[in-house]
Structure formats: structure tokens, C-alpha cells
Amino acid sequence: MSNSADVKYVYLFSEVKQAEDLVGGDWDKVRGLLGGKGANLADMTRLGVPVPPGYTVTTVACNAYLKAGEKFPPGMWEQALEAVKSIEKDTGKVFGDPKNPLLVSCRSGAKFSMPGMMDTILNIGLNDEVVEGMIKLTNDARFVYDLYRRLVQMFGSVVMEVPDEVFEAVLTAARKKAGVKTDAELTAAAWQDVTAKFKELFKSYTGIDFPTDPNEQLRLATEAVFKSWNGKRAIDYRNASKIAHDLGTAVNIQTMVFGNMGDSSSTGVAMSRNAATGENELEGDYLENAQGEDVVAGIRQTDPISALKKRAPKIYKEFADISRKLELHYRNMQDMEFTIEQGKLWLLQTRDAKRTAAAEVKIAADMVAEGLITKEEAVKRVKPDQVDFFLHPQLDSKAVKDAQEVARGLNVSPGAAVGVVALDADLAERWAKGEGKPVIMVRPETKPDDVHGMLAAQGIVTCRGGRTSHAALVARQFGKPAVVGIEELELDLDAREMRVGDLVIKEGDWVSIDGTNGIVYLGKLETVVPDISNPDLLKVLSWADEFRTLEVWANADYPVDAKRAREYGAQGIGLCRTEHMFFESERLPIVQRMIMSKAHSDKVEAISELLPFQRSDFEGLFRAMEGHPVVIRLLDPPLHEFLPGHNDLVEELADLKIKLQHAHDMSEIDSMLEQIRIKQDYLTRVEALKEENPMLGTRGVRLGILLPDLIKMQVRAIFEAAIACLKDGVKIKPKVMIPLISHVNELRTMRDILEAEAKKVIEENNNIKVDYEFGTMIEIPRAALTADAVAQVAQFFSFGTNDLTQTTFGISRDDAERGFLVEYQQQGILDDNPFGSLDGDGVGKLMGIAAELGRKTNPKLDLGICGEHGGDPKSIHICHKLGLNYVSCSPFRVPIARLAAAHAAMADKK
Amino acid sequence: MSNSADVKYVYLFSEVKQAEDLVGGDWDKVRGLLGGKGANLADMTRLGVPVPPGYTVTTVACNAYLKAGEKFPPGMWEQALEAVKSIEKDTGKVFGDPKNPLLVSCRSGAKFSMPGMMDTILNIGLNDEVVEGMIKLTNDARFVYDLYRRLVQMFGSVVMEVPDEVFEAVLTAARKKAGVKTDAELTAAAWQDVTAKFKELFKSYTGIDFPTDPNEQLRLATEAVFKSWNGKRAIDYRNASKIAHDLGTAVNIQTMVFGNMGDSSSTGVAMSRNAATGENELEGDYLENAQGEDVVAGIRQTDPISALKKRAPKIYKEFADISRKLELHYRNMQDMEFTIEQGKLWLLQTRDAKRTAAAEVKIAADMVAEGLITKEEAVKRVKPDQVDFFLHPQLDSKAVKDAQEVARGLNVSPGAAVGVVALDADLAERWAKGEGKPVIMVRPETKPDDVHGMLAAQGIVTCRGGRTSHAALVARQFGKPAVVGIEELELDLDAREMRVGDLVIKEGDWVSIDGTNGIVYLGKLETVVPDISNPDLLKVLSWADEFRTLEVWANADYPVDAKRAREYGAQGIGLCRTEHMFFESERLPIVQRMIMSKAHSDKVEAISELLPFQRSDFEGLFRAMEGHPVVIRLLDPPLHEFLPGHNDLVEELADLKIKLQHAHDMSEIDSMLEQIRIKQDYLTRVEALKEENPMLGTRGVRLGILLPDLIKMQVRAIFEAAIACLKDGVKIKPKVMIPLISHVNELRTMRDILEAEAKKVIEENNNIKVDYEFGTMIEIPRAALTADAVAQVAQFFSFGTNDLTQTTFGISRDDAERGFLVEYQQQGILDDNPFGSLDGDGVGKLMGIAAELGRKTNPKLDLGICGEHGGDPKSIHICHKLGLNYVSCSPFRVPIARLAAAHAAMADKK
């Protein structure tokens, strides 16, 4: 290590090159050395952007200071004083000189933005003499005393830890004395008094006089920043965010500029593009003769940035050029803070701007067209969640503009919901289910007892709770828009109303919630579904397709779904659930007859009646998919699902028996008895089919083995449909899939049945050649663990991760998502709901075992996923890493999956 | 390969040494060359046992014959003729010489006993002239013609494939003509006629004359044996038994001896020890002046072998000496066939004898004492199933002796059952459950509809079906003794009776079944439970302990069970189910109060009332186990199990409401209303606790996380009990186990609760040091898959293979064992019921993954199993291979497990 006295601890903003050289040109290391803010200010300075001059004390200095028991490392302070001299030279002002005083700010700046660190101290360099001098210079005693009292206040509270409340008490007293309501109405004399009082306070709390020496102020402020690195809040935050404790913070000292020095001064914020729409136009607000905090506080009506164009076209042009320059440099839309001090434009900060999903997509597409970023960058920039925005209802932005905002809270579950307020779960359910009213359920917080109301409601609002509160978790689980933790919201359950300040909303009144942004509005606002065919979105998605290696297929049961899936970019059907077709009104009675029949011949006859239906279903799918693969899963659900419910039957029987008592003639009695007999038969069958744990019961392949005739019928329907297509010259790629196997022998049995029946159908049709594949779902741990054996029979695996998650975790989704899974997430036992996002450590590991074993047997084994996870970005990432060939998801989530698959491939390349 | 003309294809029985030398002294290879039977005869000959002289044609000759297109290899036939000459020399008889004829038998003999191969041809060497000569020699024309007709018949049917039925038709006609009922009544003349007719038949079917040249007879018989190796039945059998097709069969030619040549001739079978009791005494039956088949047919009353001692003490002694010699040589009890021909004893065969479990154990122990076998061999010889015999009721052997046998079938499920006959499942259930009668259910065969009856019955009998029939599988599944496939049993469901021949048994009559041996007896026989403290058994078990490496622990909930487990040899308690204690009558109301209480304080109060009970439970266990490990599993079952059933509550409520209508006064009404309110509360709670899939529901650790107060109470009880023991100087080794975890964080949460509470208890008790371990069950696939993480927190794993099988297979035991699992075994999809015998390929593999991952984190991790598989020999073998430290099973199965663990260790050493 070099002699620490030789170490350069202080860098002027203009010395960025030297910092870069020190760390070998690595910008990440520059940020490590100068902190994020310091590096950014230096970077802007190098670009020639007008930044108020200043310097940065490095993180190395901070660490040395802390290590040495809160002592500056040798040479550091001297370097800092040198830097002040340099600033004086640049600005022509002198630190502590009443005739032309230099004032500076002091801010912390670690490598990563970090709450809990020391905030800003402004106006360093003021003391009684400098104040006198400045009043002469500005001729504005009120302005100068306001600066002075701010310095004393900030110095007291931030550096010396005097409770801010005592300063606030003085301000309140001063307003009262002056008989005014706001600080803005206080006179110069009043501010002078306040400043004097603040100094007294300072002395009585700290035991020392307020330091009048500007260098002493600077030194104390610098030390305060260093010390704040080891403050409790900062340490807690680093622990929670897994940020290393040895990074240290830098200190940024920067010349003060003032937007409130007359009419040629102003201050504002602006974005380089429109954050709502993405239009390429400077957008923002500013205030003449004002300070930054006035813009934020919203007390005065701001002017749009376009007004500057008229009033000061030259400055506007300079600003627009800078904006463009920054966009070019950072290759992203910028969010800039600026101040104009007596006609001179200064940039105080720039950063990548926040924007809506719509804007993100448009900007990404535009910037590629402008040559600013590559397609790859454009794809990376759009988040899958932002694509989701295009698929779900949102509040209409026009309606929102005129709507009254009730309150803001945490945006824990996205989307819009509109309904009448219900203040408890029972009422929410009664109104929603009983009267068909859309309901927004509002509660102080939610508990497991409230889940039935939450499920019935359109959306959820709570007064308490954070991102992992019960309400937030359940809302996300079930896709209900929700705003939680609105602290100013008061519920009065006696009066059956809710209040925010003076606003009173009665139970039953309409409200609209924007879960995407965490806002509640009054009234019944219009909602819109953003357009998935947005050309910019289509562009970004088509670029995504160039980068991804995973194919994206869709789960679709009907030709209409298949068509939509194709429009959204699906490359195949990964799951056609044949049983859904059994529930249609003309078919269900036949299915029931099949289940109820006692004689084998009756059963077979009923099954054969289903054949034409299934054949035409499959033919439609094949035609819609035009040669793309179609995975048809043979019958999966347990038989009882096709029969009436047990309780319904018991009630119907009881009713019939009562009616029988009031029958009038023999024919009526006979008819009643016949009905009772039929219902009784159903009840007997339903009871016989009843299982302790239906999730683990007689369904999937187990049913197929017990009912081979049904399998034969389905196979026949598939092959007859295939042959009908082939005869018409329609290309087809059928894949037959067996669900729920746990042992390869189950699959063997099914294959034998299938091959025999397929052979028959083919022979009946002049031996037309039908290419097909035979495969299985992997949704039971045992199937995954013995995948090497299974792959001897299966040509493809499709991971059914819903059931695989249930069996691997040993949990029943129906029960758990409303029960202990929520508790688990609240207690932090699980990070995610494993049904929402694939559990990589457990379920993912098992999938990896299956993939490896399967491919050991058959390197060409086709691997996919058809559980709901197939549409979840995090899960898609895992699927990519596991080397799957495709993910299959709901048609609506196909665009999200396309993007997520591209992201996964890109991350993998890195 | 040497010139085939030089190859020795034929070995005299006396040439065993030469055969041994050829294959380097390897007896297994001698058996491969000479076949099992040939090798055995040669072996006996070498021992000096009187075996009728003969020779063996090798399997090599057979293979050469078949390969050459059914031609003897060069030199073979010449060697055979040489061997005949040698036999002539030994016996002083001459092949084909009417004056002193040599007759021989021809038998096949492959390396392994194999149905489907050619059977025996006797009396080769007879023709018209020899017959004449023999009649002169024996002066018994009837005897000689009987031999002759047998030769023609066997030669025709076996060598030339003339249907045996045509010969039988002639016999029937002959008996009719003679006006007699049995062959024994036919005269010499009749046999002469039959022989002539047989020869005619032979010619008309085969087109050739019956060969009169003895050498030609010998050649054709030899070829027939060779050819039978490739007969369809033999090939099918080899395919089914996975016997290689290139082994070939040997041919054994042996001098005929006759036990029916007068009063100094006899024939019989004998065992070297008593097959029922194991007593060391010659035991068997014989018949004077008779042939072997007369003994088997049971037409004449046999004499016990002890009778020979009186009648021919010298021969008896010779036989006893031979018996002893053979036992010494084969080091096992022998089952011998012998013939005495005119005062000369011949041994025809010896083999290891079948024996009862009791005999097996006694013989094993005795032979060790006699120095005949080692302890290791004794342990190996006793099968775990045979130990099982000592644990279950069997029919009393004295009762059996006098009982009437109804019929015999397949012994598919062991044990004895006594009950009244019920001919259908509904009646079986009604009698068993409704009237408390023990029932034997008798059906033509069983189907899934019959299961309720089978479960209610003591035992099962069917007319049809084999070892994997529905009846057999279900019976074994549920441990019901069963005899199936009794073909002669006729059921008359109209007359409600069953018949075997003339015997009629009415429904409701008593029968007794011996499932161990597959026999049905008439009447209500006594049963006995053999004694586990049998000293021979204890000896064998203690030897087993010397060889096993797996420890054997027991699952026990109460001190009395723990004591029994210790008596049976358990080395620890692997599973104490704390919840069983909750069901006791004085505790259940407290448990219910805990579940029903709404206020947290009420819940905590109820829980605290359970503390003294649990503390004394645990203290009792610790004391009973005297320092051996005790694994205490914290609460596992779902709460609803402690509440009344849903349907019961609904019925009780309905009853109460009806009673309310008939109430007489206000106080009665009030009391009714109060009761209704309570029941209604219960019903509400039961409905709230209801889960779709309770097996996957809120139980185990999930419950613990929702009810930490209960966990605290259990922990307190354990530590207070531990401290009470320590204070008394009682050694303890408590291990606390958490059930049903799927994520390490669940375990962390539990550990934190446990450690905090344990610390408190210890501090309250003067900081007495309590050594304990903390561990978890591995019964959910995810826990197994993430065992490396779990082992960071757990000091031991105990595989809960019941639930692990359910989740790994995705099946619910309650439903599946009565449903599709039976179908699966019948169809051969699964070999075993995975709940009976651990599924090595799936569940076992997962256990292996868990063991490996867990030990990677903590090489000292203690691994055990506490599912029911812990008492199953096959499963114990898997556990041994997985490197587990112990198996834990029901106290009753501890002896079986000790033996099985020894077998596993021995097999592993090989």
C-alpha cells in the first residue's frame, strides 16, 4: 500500500479522468470510489453539462476515517481545502468572504442509493458577516435569512442530532406570532428572529455555539456524512439489502445555486421524453423565482417546461441540447433537476427516468429506430410485467385526469378495479355473489377469516400492512388489484363509512382503485384494456424472438383459443385438456351415462357416442395450428367432477321426498319415485367415487387404466381427426400425452392401448401414414425420479408444475393458498408463493433431475412445461436454465413468456 | 476347442471326480455340466451311499446335439454304450438279456429344476423276450406285464407324443371288461392284453413298431430329453424365470430297482429330522412290497419309518447312518427317497427338506450346537417370514390333527382365521360389524365391490384366482389370512351353501383356515400364538445381532410399549407419537377446548392444562428406555381429528332440534338451546377446518407454526421430564423431531421456538445440563431434495416412508389400497404394494438423494426410518444399502427386523 499521505482522497468534479485512470477505466469502480452521485456529477461535468462546481471526498477516505477511530486520513483535509480554493477560482466567489461569498451544499453518496445515510446540508459558508454581505449583494434580507435559518436548522438536526421537532416548534410559534399561516408569509425580520432563536436552541442542545467558521462547518458536515455510514438505520438497510458494509460513502461538496434570485431565476424538473406516453418531447414543470422544494411541495402552480421556450428560448434550447446530449450519453430517457440562477442554467442531477409501461415500450422501440440502443437493449429494457399491463384492464387515463383521488397507498397487486365499498368480508361476499354487485372490500387489515370476501371482491383496500401483509399476499395470489397500507384512511364500522380527512365515503359508494400505482379514486371510473396489438410492443416482442432459445407454446382447448394463441405468437399447443370438452351441455349427459352405466356394453356405447364430438374438436385444433405441434392430453380429472355434487343431490332428494308427500295422483307418484330412484343412483355412485384426498386419487392415467375403452375412443378421435386433415392436405403434428404417471409401466400400458387402436384406425384408412409422438406429463415426484426409465417409452416430457409443486411440497393448493401458505409468506418462511413462481430449490431441482435422467436415456427427448408457471417470468428463467425446449402458458401470457424467454437467454449469455 | 471326438460326454455316477477336475473343482460348474439331479446322484455315489448305478450324459452333449440339427456329437453314443457296459458289470445284469435283464430309467436333469422338461421313462430294456425271462425269474407275470405296459405307455406319450388319453381309454376299457374299479385288481392276463393293445396304439399313432431293441429304446429316450429342452413349455418357463437358454439339459440313465418284489422289498420317503418340530429323529413313511407311486397315491396305509426299526433293524441302522452322513455332507436336514429291493437298501434321491418355521428355527439352533453349521449359516437359514410365524395366531397343531380338511388352495396370505362362512360381502360386513361374529368370507373370486366385506372378515377363501388375484392382493394388504384358487370348491348362492365333493357347508357354519399352508378345515378350531420367547429363536436372533450393522429401534408411544420393545431387542424409540396421548379420555376435552377457544388466552390456558399429562408421559418413556435414545415427534395430525365428525354433528343437531319441539318447560328449552349452540359451534369449527386434501393439509410443522404455544408446551414437557429423570440419576437421550417439513425455514422456526423454551426450563432448574438432539422427519419430497439445507439445522433425519410414499407416488393410501393399487398389482404394473414394501426405484432413490445431500452437509448426520417399512425385510435391505443408522418399527416386528438387518449385512458382505 502506498503511503496514505500520497493518496488522492479528493476529486474535483472535473477530475473524473484521474479517477478513471486510478481504477483502470472501470466505471463501476469509479462509482465505487466516488459514490453514485459523485461519479454522476463528474460524468456530467466531463460532458460539458453546466454543473455547479464541486468536489467529492472518496469512499476510501470514509473507510480510513472510520478505521482510524473517526480521524481524517493524513492529507485528506488539506486536499479538501485545496479543492475549495479551486472552486473559488472557478466561480470567482470566496468561501467566507462577505463581499462575494461562496456557499456550498454537502451530500452523502454511496455506490448504491441507500436510505438511512445522511441527507443534505445546504448553504454551508453562511455566518453573521456573510449574511450581512449577501443582503447587500442581493438586496433581499428575507431570502438571505431564510437561507441562514435553514443552515442552522439542518446543521443542528442532521449534524448535531438536535431533534427537528424543536426547530419546528419555533417555526410554529413564529407563524402564530406573525398571525400568518405559511412560512412564505413571514417577513425578513421574522426570519431574522427565527435564526437567532435557532442558534440559541443549537447551543442549549449541543453545548457549543453554532460554528461560524465556514471551514469548521465544512469539516463537521464532512465528518457527519462519514459517521452516518455506521448509523443504525444504514446498517440495518445494508443487512436487509445485502450490501457490503465495507463500501463506505463518499461526500459531495457542491456550489449552491439559487432559483429564487429574481425573475431571471427559476427551478424545475424535466424528463427528456413523455413519461406517460413515451413521446419524444421535453416534458416537465418549473417555477420562476423559486426553490426546488417549492416545486415538489406543490404550493404554487407550476408552469410546463414548454413555457420556458417562449420566455427564454435560448436557455430552453440550451436545456433541450443538454437533454439530448445526456440521452445520447446514458442511452436512456433522463429525469433532470435544473436551476436557472440569474439567467444561467445549471443541471443539478440527472438519472434514468421512471415511466409507464406504455412509455417504456414506445421509448425502447423509438430508441432502436433512432440508433440510440440495440434491439437487444430494447428487449432487455422492457420488463415482462410491463407487457402484462397491455393485457389487463387499467383505469382509463382520461377518466383518471378528472377523477378525485381519495388516497395513496402501496401498489401491491396491479390492475384496475371498480366497485362499491363493502366494509366486511361477509357483506362483500353477499353483495358480490348474491346481488351480482362489483365490490371493493375495504378493511383495516385482512385475516384468514376475510378470504371469502376478498375472493368475491373486485379489489381490496386496507389501512394497514405492507407488501407482505396478508391482504397483499392474498390479492396477488388471486390476481385481485389491491392498495394497502393507506394510513390516513379511517374506517368507522359503526357508521359504516370510511374517511380520509374531510372526505367521507359511505359503504355502498363507488370507488375505483389503481393497483398498478397504488391509488384509490372516488366514483366509478372507466377502465380500458390496453391494446396487445400496439405496434411498438409487437416490434419489441419480435426482437425478443430473435434472442430467445426457449419456444413459447400455449395451453388451449378449443380452435378459437388456438387461433388467439397463434396471433400472440405461440409456436404450438403445449396442452389441450380434452376433458374440458366433456363439460359442454350436449356432451355432459353422455359422459354421465357412461359413468352411471353398470353393464360394460352400456359404458362402451356411451363412450362411442362421444367419439364424433372429440374427433371434430381435435380436427379443429389441428387445422387452427397449421402443422405446429398440438399436445393432446388424454382424460385427466376424476370422474366425480362430471357428476352433480354430493350436497346438491342430498338436497334434491330431500326436496323430492317432501314433494312426494303432496303428490295428487298415481302417475305423479310414479314420476316422483322414478326421479328419486335416479337421484339415489347418482348419490350412490358419487359416494362410491368419493375419495379422502381426491388430488391424489383416481384420475389421469389411473383412470385410463381402469377405463381403457375411454382411452381407445380418445385415441381413435385423434387419429381419425389427423387422417381427415391429412386427406385435405392440412399439415399436422399431433402429440399424445398421458397425465399423472408415477411408474413407467403405466405409460407402457397406455402406449400398448394407443398403438393397437392407432394401428386399427390407420388400417381402416388405407394405411395413411400418421406421424405422431407419444409422451407424458411429469407431475409426480416418482415419475421425475425415474425419468430414465420413463424416457424409454416417452418421446417427450411436459412438466405439470402445478401438481408437481403440490406433490413435491406435499401441499394441496386449494387448501394452502387460502391457509398456511399466506402465513408462511408473512413470516418469511417462504419468499414466494410456489404456485405463482416455480420453487427452484425444490421443484426446480426435481425437474433438473428428470431432465438429466430423461436425456441420458434419450438425448433428443423433448422437454416442456405446461403448468401455470409457464407464463411466469421467474419460472421461465428457471426453465431456460434447465434446458427445456419450450414453455406453454395461457394464450394471454404468450407475449410475456416470449419476452421473459429472451431475458433468460440474455442473462444466460452473460 | 478340443476335437469333439475327444470330449467326454458321458459320466458314470462314480466318475464325479473326473467331472470336478474338468471344471476346476467348482461344484456349481459340475451342476452346470451334469445337471442338478446328475450331480446329486454322483455326489451321493462318492459318499458311498448306495445309489442304483447309472450314468449322466452332459449338458454339453445336449447343446451339441441341438446345434448339429439333432445329431449326437461324435463319440457320445459310443461313450453311452460303454457306460451301459460298466453298469452291467456293477450290477451283474445285462441290458436286453432275458436271463438276467438290466432295466434302466431315463430322466432329464437341467442345472435348475425346470417344469416343462421331459419327465421320466421307466423300465427301459424290456421287450417280449426280456418279459418272458423276467417272469421266469420273478415268477410274477402280473408285476412284469405291469412294468412292460408302463414302458410302452411312457415311451408313447413322452417320447413319441401319443396323447396320453388314448392309453387311459384302454385302461378304462380293461377295468370295465374285468368288472373292477382299480388297476390293482387287474390280473396278469389283463395286463398282458393291455400291453398288446398299447403296442397297437403305438404303431397306429407313430407309424412304427414299438422298438424292441433296448439300445434303440435308450437312444430314442436320450434324444427325447435333449429335444424337450427346446419344447414350448420349457422355453416359456425359462423366459418367465430368466433362465439362460444355452444351459442345456443332462440325461440321467439309472438302474431300475423295485420295492414291490416281495415282502423283503419296500419303498418310502423319510426326513432326517422332524419337519414339523425340528426334533432330531428320522421321520417318514414307507410301504412294504410297493412302488414309490403307491406311497404318494395314499391308497394303502403307510407305516411310520420307526416300524422299519423293528422289522429290519439292520437296514434301519444303515438308513439312519446314511441319513446322518447326508446331513453332515449337505449340512442341512434331508428329504430322502429310498427303495429296499429284496433286502438291499437303495437311495434314489436326497434334497434339502421343507420344514415349518418352528422346525427351521430349532434345526438352525441345534445344528450350530452340533457343530454342523456356523452361526452365520444358522442366521441366514431362518427367513424373516418364519419369525413372523411366532408373532401371529396359527391353528393349534393338535386341533388340526383331528380336524376334517375341506380343501386345499393357494396359501396367499399367512396366519389362521376362524369364523362362520358368509357368501357375500354385505352379509360378511353385517355379521362382523353388526353382530360381532367372526366371519370367513367365501366368494368365487373377489372384486373391488367386495373390499368392505373382506375388511370386516377374519379371513378370505375363493374358488378362483392365483397369487396376484384381487383377493390375494387385498388379503395381504390388510393382513387377512386367505386361501384362494380352490378349484373343487363349488358355491351355490341360491341354496346359500358351499360344496366340496359330497361335503356340504351351509352359510353360517364354522370353518377354520390356515393361510400359511393354504388349507380350509371344517369347524371352529383352536388357534395359538407361538411363543416369541422360544429359546431357539432367541438364540438365532442374538446371533443375528452379531452380524447386523443397522440398529433396530421401535415405534412406541407409551412406557408399556417401550418396555415390550426393549424385551424384543429394540435399541431405542424411533418414533413416539405425542398426539396419541391427546386422545385419552381425560385429555380429549382439554384438547377440544383448546381448538374451540376463540380468545388467545383461553387457548393458552387449555394448552397449559395438557402440560402435566405430557410431562409424565415423557418421563415414563425416558425411564423405560434407561438411557437409550427416545425420538419424540411433536404434534402431527390435523386438528379436526380431535373434534367430532361432521356427519355426527349434523345428526346430533337434527336430533336436538326435534327434541326441542317436544320440550316441556323453559329450563328444558334453555338447556336444549345451550346444547344446540355448543354443537353448532363445533360444526362451524369442523367446517372451517375441513380441507379438500387433508393428507396434504394443515398438520405437522404447519400446525406448529400456526400454534406455537402448543409446541412450547410440548417442549416444556420434554425438558421438565428430562430434568426430573436427571435429578433421579436416570440416564436419558431425548431427541426432538419435527414432522412434515418441506422447507428448512420451517425447521428453523421450530428450532428457535424450541431453543428459547428449553433455555427457560433449564434456567428455571438451576441450569441443569440436558443433552438433546433436534431433528426432522423426511416425509415430503421437497425436504429430501433440499436435505443439504435441512441438515444445517437438523442433527438427525428420520424417513417417514408412509407419507413419503404417498407424496412421491402422488397417491392417497386410504383411497388407493382399496382401489387402483390392487388393479395395478393385478395387471403387473406394480410388483408390490409400495406401502408394504419400500419402492426402491422411486422412494428409495429419493431417500438416497436425501442421505447423500444430508451427509454432505453433516457427515455425522444420524439417519433412520420410522415408517411401517421399518419392519419389512425387503425394505430393511434397502435401508441397509442406503447406509441408514437404524430402522424403527412396531415392537412386534423388532425380532423380524433384527434378522432382516443381519441378512442385509450378510448379503452386502458378499
Side-chain angles (χ1 to χ4, degrees), chain A residues 691-695 702 705 745-746 780 782 785 808-812 815 820 824 829 839 845 853, chain B residues 691-695 702 705 745-746 780 782 785 808-812 815 820 824 829 839 845 853:
Chain A
E691 293 176 308
E692 284 294 312
N693 296 288
M695 196 263 129
R702 300 161 189 179
I705 285 170
N745 286 349
E746 297 173 309
I780 298 286
R782 198 185 182 285
L785 291 163
T808 305
F809 266 91
I811 57 184
S812 164
D815 302 322
F820 66 86
Y824 270 36
I829 292 172
D839 157 49
K845 185 169 194 176
L853 288 175
Chain B
E691 293 176 308
E692 286 292 314
N693 296 289
M695 196 261 131
R702 300 161 189 179
I705 284 170
N745 286 349
E746 296 172 309
I780 297 286
R782 196 184 184 285
L785 290 162
T808 304
F809 266 90
I811 56 184
S812 165
D815 303 322
F820 65 88
Y824 271 35
I829 291 171
D839 158 51
K845 185 170 193 174
L853 288 175

Side-chain angles (χ1 to χ4, degrees), chain A residues 461-728:
Chain A
V461 172
T462 71
C463 310
R464 293 194 289 274
R467 297 203 172 274
T468 56
S469 62
H470 180 269
L473 292 167
V474 173
R476 280 202 294 278
Q477 214 110 292
F478 296 101
K480 304 281 179 187
V483 182
V484 307
I486 308 180
E487 288 176 17
E488 70 263 43
L489 190 66
E490 285 171 53
L491 299 197
D492 185 336
L493 293 175
D494 294 325
R496 304 306 290 183
E497 62 186 32
M498 59 190 235
R499 292 187 290 268
V500 180
D502 298 335
L503 180 67
V504 177
I505 299 171
K506 294 256 166 214
E507 192 166 46
D509 288 352
W510 286 87
V511 294
S512 303
I513 69 177
D514 171 359
T516 311
N517 298 299
I519 312 173
V520 181
Y521 296 97
L522 200 61
K524 185 180 176 180
L525 304 193
E526 291 293 311
T527 59
V528 289
V529 180
D531 187 5
I532 187 84
S533 67
N534 174 307
D536 291 319
L537 178 64
L538 295 182
K539 236 180 259 174
V540 171
L541 289 176
S542 76
W543 296 333
D545 293 344
E546 296 174 19
F547 297 105
R548 66 187 163 89
T549 53
L550 265 176
E551 291 197 15
V552 176
W553 298 12
N555 299 348
D557 305 334
Y558 299 99
V560 57
D561 299 329
K563 277 188 196 121
R564 174 180 296 126
R566 291 267 287 138
E567 282 162 22
Y568 285 4
Q571 296 160 281
I573 290 183
L575 178 62
C576 163
R577 286 155 292 218
T578 54
E579 64 271 13
H580 280 192
M581 305 157 175
F582 284 16
F583 285 104
E584 286 179 27
S585 56
E586 49 187 351
R587 308 179 190 185
L588 191 56
I590 307 176
V591 176
Q592 292 182 340
R593 186 144 50 78
M594 172 195 82
I595 299 171
M596 296 301 300
S597 59
K598 275 159 194 152
H600 182 249
S601 58
D602 294 343
K603 207 173 276 291
V604 171
E605 197 196 300
I607 289 172
S608 71
E609 284 178 45
L610 292 169
L611 176 65
F613 292 113
Q614 287 253 293
R615 186 172 49 217
S616 79
D617 293 332
F618 297 144
E619 200 178 322
L621 274 184
F622 290 149
R623 288 182 192 270
M625 290 307 286
E626 300 173 308
H628 286 85
V630 176
V631 178
I632 296 171
R633 179 178 72 184
L634 302 191
L635 194 68
D636 187 50
L639 290 183
H640 71 79
E641 288 195 8
F642 299 105
L643 296 183
H646 183 267
N647 291 351
D648 292 345
L649 283 169
V650 169
E651 279 174 26
E652 282 167 23
L653 268 169
D655 280 354
L656 278 170
K657 284 173 186 168
I658 289 169
K659 276 189 200 155
L660 184 62
Q661 296 173 14
H662 304 97
H664 296 293
D665 57 38
M666 200 51 89
S667 80
E668 203 181 338
I669 289 175
D670 284 348
S671 143
M672 293 300 220
L673 286 173
E674 171 68 6
Q675 284 184 58
I676 289 176
R677 196 190 54 72
I678 292 171
K679 297 281 177 205
Q680 193 65 55
D681 275 359
Y682 269 95
L683 186 61
T684 304
R685 191 86 179 94
V686 164
E687 281 177 349
L689 289 172
K690 193 170 151 51
E691 293 176 308
E692 284 294 312
N693 296 288
M695 196 263 129
L696 306 174
T698 306
R699 59 191 191 90
V701 68
R702 300 161 189 179
L703 199 57
I705 285 170
L706 299 178
L707 275 178
D709 294 306
L710 195 63
I711 298 301
K712 279 184 210 163
M713 181 280 286
Q714 293 201 303
V715 168
R716 175 167 284 273
I718 292 168
F719 281 84
E720 288 185 352
I723 287 171
C725 289
L726 289 173
K727 282 182 177 164
D728 286 356

Side-chain angles (χ1 to χ4, degrees), chain A residues 23-88:
Chain A
V23 295
D26 180 337
W27 187 251
D28 188 64
K29 286 189 180 159
V30 174
R31 289 179 36 134
L33 184 69
L34 303 180
K37 187 189 297 284
N40 190 257
L41 288 166
D43 201 29
M44 282 203 286
T45 303
R46 168 162 59 180
L47 286 174
V49 173
V51 171
Y55 68 84
T56 303
V57 188
T58 66
T59 57
V60 173
C62 170
N63 286 332
Y65 171 85
L66 294 172
K67 200 175 166 193
E70 307 196 340
K71 274 197 192 108
F72 288 144
M76 187 212 97
W77 183 240
E78 292 72 15
Q79 290 176 27
L81 293 178
E82 274 301 310
V84 172
K85 289 272 170 289
S86 176
I87 297 173
E88 289 175 341

Side-chain angles (χ1 to χ4, degrees), chain B residues 17 24 41 60 84 167 231 241 327 374 409 458-459 475 546 588 597 741 755 818:
Chain B
K17 185 76 181 63
L41 288 166
V60 173
V84 172
F167 295 111
S241 312
E327 265 205 351
T374 63
Q458 298 294 309
E546 295 173 17
L588 191 57
S597 60
I741 72 148
E755 285 181 351
R818 300 173 188 205

Side-chain angles (χ1 to χ4, degrees), chain B residues 53-120:
Chain B
Y55 68 84
T56 302
V57 187
T58 66
T59 56
V60 173
C62 170
N63 286 330
Y65 171 85
L66 293 171
K67 201 177 169 192
E70 307 193 342
K71 273 195 193 111
F72 287 145
M76 186 212 98
W77 183 241
E78 291 74 14
Q79 291 176 26
L81 293 179
E82 275 300 310
V84 172
K85 289 269 168 291
S86 174
I87 297 172
E88 289 174 342
K89 214 172 129 195
D90 283 356
T91 56
K93 298 177 179 177
V94 178
F95 203 41
D97 179 354
K99 282 180 228 120
N100 189 19
L102 172 68
L103 301 190
V104 298
S105 63
C106 172
R107 289 183 177 90
S108 68
K111 181 169 180 181
F112 305 107
S113 169
M114 224 180 82
M117 292 288 299
M118 203 198 79
D119 207 18
T120 310

Side-chain angles (χ1 to χ4, degrees), chain B residues 63 66 151 236 298 342 348 404 442 503 671 727-728 732 768 778 805 851 865 897 902:
Chain B
N63 286 330
L66 293 171
L151 170 64
D236 287 349
Q342 297 180 322
L348 303 178
Q404 182 178 354
V442 183
L503 180 67
S671 144
K727 283 182 178 165
D728 286 357
I732 53 160
I768 284 194
I778 300 286
T805 299
I865 177 176

